[in-house]
Amino acid sequence: SQQGEEDPQALSIQEGENATMNCSYKTSINNLQWYRQNSGRGLVHLILIRSNEREKHSGRLRVTLDTSKKSSSLLITASRAADTASYFCATPQGGSEKLVFGKGTKLTVNP
Amino acid sequence: EAGVVQSPRYKIIEKKQPVAFWCNPISGHNTLYWYRQNLGQGPELLIRYENEEAVDDSQLPKDRFSAERLKGVDSTLKIQPAELGDSAVYLCASSSYFVSPDTQYFGPGTRLTVL
């Protein structure tokens, strides 16, 4: 079963624009993670935000977490063609190390 | 630091044939995961190892899938016999309880096509 649900399913923007992806989840969590997957490659861990954090930054990435709404957003600023990939949110299930992934948002950044 | 290594990268077989995937995790990582990722979906956990012990195999179809992690390092995932619905990307990941237990490091995956 999938815990996280990303929105939108697909997003196409121009280089230099910002990209925002959202994730909603169903049960209480202690952290939420975002991963990136380039075509034909494995997943790369981008950022982890804990349930007691509201916002976190890493380079051009900004992640927010609203536990009351059970939602998170990933903002990529000043996007580049190399940011073209699928982005997944993942949450631990039942407090365990088992990560449950959403279906992902496919981001295309046009040069 | 070398990442998670998987082989083969691609495999095409006919249904009912056996197939095996190999994974070498990051050195020192005690936890190893096998995921299956269907087209257009996120990865779904098949089995998780803590050292050589399988601690979560609830999603592993045990009638045809088997896995092992000898000596708590490399791991092999096997399907016998393969079915058409097994076509997917099989991902291996590892993590270290002592360094960052919440972060999983993924290999490039094995893309399986069953004809």
Side-chain angles (χ1 to χ4, degrees):
Chain A
S1 62
Q2 294 189 306
Q3 156 92 300
E5 198 73 32
E6 291 90 344
D7 171 63
Q9 291 186 358
L11 180 61
S12 181
I13 60 174
Q14 296 299 123
E15 210 165 24
E17 294 179 341
N18 296 340
T20 300
M21 289 157 270
N22 302 296
C23 169
S24 58
Y25 57 92
K26 298 174 184 174
T27 62
S28 296
I29 57 172
N30 54 33
N31 71 72
L32 183 144
Q33 303 176 39
W34 285 91
Y35 285 79
R36 180 187 72 220
Q37 185 176 37
N38 292 89
S39 180
R41 305 263 185 100
L43 282 79
V44 174
H45 182 266
L46 294 177
I47 196 166
L48 180 152
I49 187 166
R50 301 200 181 277
S51 58
N52 60 352
E53 297 175 307
R54 291 296 169 260
E55 186 171 311
K56 200 165 182 178
H57 297 254
S58 177
R60 294 183 295 113
L61 306 180
R62 181 173 78 98
V63 169
T64 62
L65 180 64
D66 187 334
T67 53
S68 65
K69 295 181 179 178
K70 292 187 169 58
S71 67
S72 173
S73 68
L74 170 67
L75 168 68
I76 304 174
T77 60
S79 64
R80 305 167 182 168
D83 294 328
T84 294
S86 290
Y87 292 81
F88 295 89
C89 67
T91 53
Q93 186 176 62
S96 72
E97 293 175 35
K98 176 179 178 177
L99 280 182
V100 180
F101 289 81
K103 294 183 179 181
T105 292
K106 188 171 183 179
L107 173 66
T108 302
V109 181
N110 301 299
Chain B
E1 179 183 84
V4 176
V5 179
Q6 290 188 248
S7 68
R9 291 294 312 278
Y10 305 92
K11 189 74 177 179
I12 301 175
I13 62 172
E14 294 188 345
K15 62 181 181 182
K16 300 184 182 179
Q17 294 299 304
V19 65
F21 314 121
W22 175 80
C23 173
N24 179 237
I26 292 173
S27 178
H29 281 198
N30 57 305
T31 307
L32 183 145
Y33 312 78
W34 281 105
Y35 288 88
R36 177 169 59 189
Q37 185 177 21
N38 293 313
L39 189 64
Q41 304 288 317
E44 293 187 327
L45 182 70
L46 291 174
I47 188 167
R48 174 167 68 95
Y49 282 93
E50 293 288 348
N51 300 307
E52 64 272 15
E53 182 182 358
V55 296
D56 184 354
D57 63 355
S58 56
Q59 301 301 311
L60 190 72
K62 297 181 183 62
D63 56 336
R64 297 183 300 107
F65 286 66
S66 64
E68 60 181 9
R69 190 184 184 196
L70 299 176
K71 299 181 181 179
V73 182
D74 294 1
S75 178
T76 302
L77 177 69
K78 297 178 181 177
I79 309 175
Q80 182 170 11
E83 297 179 351
L84 295 177
D86 296 330
S87 293
V89 176
Y90 291 82
L91 295 162
C92 179
S94 68
S95 65
S96 170
Y97 177 83
F98 301 102
V99 176
S100 182
D102 298 317
T103 302
Q104 297 182 23
Y105 297 84
F106 284 79
T110 296
R111 183 178 296 276
L112 173 68
T113 302
V114 182
L115 304 175

